[in-house]
Amino acid sequence: MRTIELSSRQAIPVLGMGTWRMGENSQHRQSEIDALRYGLDLGFSLIDTAEMYGEGGAEEVIAEALDKRRSEVFLVSKVYPHNASQADAVAACERSLKRLNTDYLDLYLLHWRGSVPLAETLGAFQTLQQAGKICSYGVSNFDVEDMTEAVQLKGGDTIALNQVLYNLSRRGIELNLLPWCRQQHIPIMAYSPIEQGRLLNNQALKQMAKARGVTMAQIAIAWLLHQDGVIAIPKSSRIEHVEQNYAALNLTLSTEELAILDDTFLVPARPTPLEML
Ligand SMILES: NC(=O)c1ccc[n+]([C@@H]2O[C@H](COP(=O)([O-])OP(=O)(O)OC[C@H]3O[C@@H](n4cnc5c(N)ncnc54)[C@H](OP(=O)(O)O)[C@@H]3O)[C@@H](O)[C@H]2O)c1
């Protein structure tokens, strides 16, 4: 799979599997494990999670899905803002590691900005990195002002990436955050790439998918993968969707199709604050 090089020199795959809503309901547990395993077998090698998802339940589902395959994946987890102080972030990471049944994370993110000073969270991330518990660290839901502040702090210059809401229907970041991150060589990890399913009601997308013999979700994911410096992490607990999402890697959109998508899903006229789900 195509990868992007992070400031830490780690190669991160451009397409991964999200896990929000996993680990919340024991009745869905086996299908979630099966979907993740199926994804691994197909070639997915990036998994995104957070201590928030199922209050640790998603991390446990991932551990079971991975079993002895930990080394095959680039594993990302996130700390709650209220756990982001120096001592609490280290403890939160250790709890995540335990649930994930691993001794390191490839990437650890601050889930969103809270009241803990950023300098303190970055200090905790550096402590975890020096201890070998995380390979690199980054942020999520940070707009340009937060990023500008963060990169100037000690340890801020090695922020690996920023995970934000970005999909065809949420293009506001193209006016400011995306160019800023590109200039700083900080990749964007696009969450909710199919807008949690809501994009799949769009008529233009439906027509394009039909004409190409693919699904709407595949077009939405392929469009993100056409954007420079962008990683996409669709979530699915269904084998057929995992298969479709993986196949989006090989879907090249034509100039005409990209133009239709630009005309259908407009970039806002003026910069707007970063949206969050
Ligand atoms: N940092 C943050 O604040 C933040 C916020 C939101 C999300 N995230 C991360 O980003 C990941 C992805 O975002 P998301 O889960 O919010 O939304 P998403 O990936 O845009 O959409 C997930 C929804 O789409 C369905 N789906 C997936 N593939 C499909 C396909 N090929 N065809 C039709 N439906 C499909 C899934 O249902 P099935 O399971 O039935 O397939 C699920 O209901 C999350 O899981 C999480 O890891 C991060």
Side-chain angles (χ1 to χ4, degrees):
M1 187 184 295
R2 182 163 66 84
T3 57
I4 293 180
E5 189 176 280
L6 300 178
S7 56
S8 58
R9 292 287 171 89
Q10 291 163 282
I12 185 166
V14 291
L15 183 63
M17 294 189 282
T19 61
W20 193 15
R21 304 284 180 218
M22 289 193 186
E24 291 181 356
N25 182 334
S26 57
Q27 287 186 327
H28 301 153
R29 187 181 178 88
Q30 197 53 50
S31 57
E32 292 163 359
I33 291 169
D34 292 346
L36 289 172
R37 284 194 181 147
Y38 189 75
L40 293 172
D41 291 342
L42 284 175
F44 271 110
S45 55
L46 163 63
I47 300 180
D48 175 75
T49 191
E51 63 173 337
M52 184 185 99
Y53 303 164
E55 290 303 323
E59 292 177 326
E60 289 169 357
V61 164
I62 293 167
E64 200 169 331
L66 284 177
D67 196 15
K68 297 185 175 55
R69 304 175 72 176
R70 165 68 185 95
S71 62
E72 289 177 31
V73 296
F74 189 109
L75 197 49
V76 184
S77 193
K78 312 184 201 77
V79 60
Y80 267 127
H82 62 256
N83 282 340
S85 67
Q86 175 72 44
D88 290 349
V90 172
C93 182
E94 279 165 0
R95 288 194 298 272
S96 284
L97 292 175
K98 195 160 180 223
R99 286 188 292 262
L100 285 160
N101 193 25
T102 183
D103 49 10
Y104 73 99
L105 290 172
D106 294 279
L107 177 62
Y108 199 36
L109 307 178
L110 173 60
H111 208 148
W112 64 91
R113 193 168 179 182
S115 56
V116 174
L118 270 182
E120 199 179 328
T121 306
L122 289 170
F125 284 169
Q126 287 171 285
T127 304
L128 286 163
Q129 194 177 37
Q130 280 149 19
K133 291 179 180 173
I134 63 173
C135 300
S136 58
Y137 54 84
V139 292
S140 177
N141 297 301
F142 269 41
D143 211 339
V144 175
E145 295 73 33
D146 297 316
M147 288 304 293
T148 306
E149 187 183 334
V151 295
Q152 285 165 12
L153 296 169
K154 183 166 178 283
D157 55 336
T158 50
I159 285 176
L161 58 74
N162 185 12
Q163 183 181 118
V164 296
L165 177 61
Y166 183 39
N167 63 47
L168 277 167
S169 63
R170 308 270 193 167
R171 298 186 60 177
I173 70 165
E174 291 177 31
L175 292 176
N176 44 21
L177 183 64
L178 188 57
W180 187 93
C181 284
R182 281 183 180 143
Q183 199 188 18
Q184 303 277 326
H185 305 290
I186 298 176
I188 287 288
M189 186 179 273
Y191 74 68
S192 307
I194 53 175
E195 186 64 19
Q196 301 185 325
R198 290 180 291 273
L199 265 178
L200 310 180
N201 300 319
N202 183 276
Q203 283 311 311
L205 209 53
K206 194 175 263 179
Q207 253 182 352
M208 189 178 291
K210 195 167 175 219
R212 281 295 294 265
V214 297
T215 69
M216 290 188 274
Q218 286 176 312
I219 304 245
I221 295 166
W223 177 81
L224 279 170
L225 298 180
H226 277 67
Q227 314 305 319
D228 192 31
V230 173
I231 298 151
I233 48 166
K235 173 264 167 189
S236 179
S237 306
R238 291 168 63 164
I239 279 175
E240 64 271 31
H241 288 168
V242 173
E243 186 159 17
Q244 286 172 17
N245 297 348
Y246 188 77
L249 266 178
N250 295 321
L251 177 59
T252 304
L253 300 173
S254 68
T255 311
E256 292 74 25
E257 286 167 331
L258 290 168
I260 293 170
L261 293 173
D262 275 341
D263 288 345
T264 308
F265 300 97
L266 300 177
V267 178
R270 274 178 297 283
T272 46
L274 179 65
E275 297 171 293
M276 214 179 137
L277 286 181

